[in-house]
Amino acid sequence: MNPATAPDPPGDREHEERGRQVERRRGGTSGPGGSRAPAALEGGAGRARLALLALLGSILVPLVAAGLRSVLWVLVGVAGLALAAVGVWWALAHTGVLRVLGAVLSVAAPVTVFALYAAFGLLGPALVSLALWALAVTTARTAPTPDHPTSEQAVIEAPHTPWVLMNPYSGGGKVGRFQLVEKARAAGCRVALLDAGQDVVELARQAVAEGADLLAVAGGDGTQALVAEVAARHDLPFVVIPAGTRNHFALDLGLDRDDPAAALRALGDGVELRVDLGYAADRVFVNNASFGTYASVVTDPAYRDAKARTTLRALPGLLTGEEALRLRVRTGRTRVDGLQALLVSNNPYGRAVDAARPGRRERLDSGLLGLVCVRVGSTAEAARIVRGPRSGGLVRLSAEEVVVEAGTDTLPVGIDGEHVVLPSPVVCRSAPGALRVRVPRDRPHARRGSGAAADWPRVARSALGRPVPVAAPRRGRRGARTAGWRSGAATGGRPRPRYFSGASAPGPTRS
């Protein structure tokens, strides 16, 4: 039998069937059989042409301005970035004179590059080229697949006995500042104010036992996650009222964090979403679980009152000290070791440099965890970060389940900003479509776009008006979707594992 046409192994068929079940549960379908409106396809072709033109312009502008010498000037810019990365490493991982020198270098290197560009009349063309490149990448991300299937369902019946837990101290007192108690009661909600020392989960369970048919929280992401799990267990709708400090979950749901009271409109004129929950061992999270450096820093009692000072004091020992924690990650047959920091998120985050949605999650219903693995152990490794995906310093993965260990009995973990200690190894997993979230129909920041990395062959096909296949990502036996899985066509239809150690790990994947 031809390996390229060999049937998928049972493990892959199980994952595909699980994917179909998840989509049916959410009320939508995706994949090759999905349909798209003609207007969306035409809009995608227009964005694809714009992306290609912007990419071509970003190349032509420096060539016109400096000819073939532009290649040398690009190398000068790369060298400046490498020196800046070295400076940041020295400032974070060392103390004394080397830290001061690192801080100076991290600023002086890019300033010197800009000064050289300006002296030779190339600053303007360089900035124009960068702007065109950013436009090209941002536009290309949404060109071939302008919209992903949505699981929004209109709310037909308003809740009869909604219950809201409010933390009056969260977000610097947003509950009182925005008069959330009064507005919630006016909307027919039973309001419970959280006091110090109260068990959040027990309060939510008691509300369910007393007949609540909707649960809501006005507070931070940590409190949101605890009540959301109770709502998921009882298949009750959940409303997020962004009354915390950051409220990243609310942001990715498209809610207005500057007007927490607007979330109450979901009770009357709202839509319902099916979103995933993440678990680290038995602890639920709606945003992420942090392991390694950050999780160790937040254990310091001084962190809450002096975050920057405490972090700078602790980082040298955590990054280069003899007792520095080194994490190992297993997901399916993929292994990554020697990590200093690991972020496991409920659905993958976008790139920080994405101009469209920096550091946000495009989807909350992919059924996957996002992993950002950081490994920089020396000055040379810090400099290599400018190589991007091939540097090995930053590894991005996607998986349904991941195992985290470090050769210790316990691991400190920051779960949605709250510090906990869990037995090692820690198994993190995704619970696809577990939570029913109600949001206002007219929320201002509703998710749009595919969120995929720029796929230039697809962009070119779309620009030429050719059909662009929409296929579900191929996953390994445990759902790993990373650069560490080789083509099944070359391995008899089965993925071949790769093991990553030191600088050999892959860089970003398209998650």
Side-chain angles (χ1 to χ4, degrees), residues 330-350:
R330 292 185 284 115
T331 171
R333 298 178 182 177
T334 304
R335 306 287 191 274
V336 188
D337 58 17
L339 301 177
Q340 292 143 311
L342 170 68
L343 182 75
V344 180
S345 59
N346 176 28
N347 288 266
Y349 281 101

Side-chain angles (χ1 to χ4, degrees), residues 214-217 224 237-241 263-264 266-267 436-438:
L214 178 145
L215 303 182
V217 172
Q224 301 277 0
F238 180 68
V239 171
V240 176
I241 304 174
L264 292 170
L267 300 175
R436 299 165 55 192
V437 179
R438 288 193 182 179

Side-chain angles (χ1 to χ4, degrees), residues 57-58 61-62 65 110 113-114 117-118 121-135:
S58 69
V61 167
V113 170
F114 281 123
Y117 281 3
L122 294 175
L123 182 58
L127 294 177
V128 171
S129 179
L130 285 174
L132 288 172
W133 175 81
L135 174 63

Side-chain angles (χ1 to χ4, degrees), residues 78-90 102 105-110 382 386:
V78 172
L81 289 175
L83 289 174
V86 169
V88 171
W89 169 253
W90 286 350
L105 182 61
S106 64
V107 175
V386 299

Side-chain angles (χ1 to χ4, degrees), residues 432-451:
L435 181 63
R436 299 165 55 192
V437 179
R438 288 193 182 179
V439 294
R441 188 187 306 273
D442 59 346
R443 63 197 190 280
H445 306 300
R447 293 173 287 160
R448 291 179 174 85
S450 68

Side-chain angles (χ1 to χ4, degrees), residues 212-290:
D213 59 356
L214 178 145
L215 303 182
V217 172
D221 288 321
T223 308
Q224 301 277 0
L226 294 174
V227 178
E229 183 185 27
V230 176
R233 286 185 180 276
H234 295 274
D235 197 31
L236 293 177
F238 180 68
V239 171
V240 176
I241 304 174
T245 303
R246 295 180 179 87
N247 285 114
H248 293 295
F249 189 45
L251 175 67
D252 292 332
L253 286 169
L255 301 176
D256 186 354
R257 296 184 297 176
D258 296 325
D259 184 11
L264 292 170
R265 293 202 298 268
L267 300 175
D269 183 23
V271 294
E272 190 168 291
L273 314 174
R274 275 282 185 182
V275 304
D276 309 333
L277 289 176
Y279 283 86
D282 60 346
R283 292 296 300 263
V284 66
F285 58 89
V286 293
N287 292 325
N288 55 67
S290 301

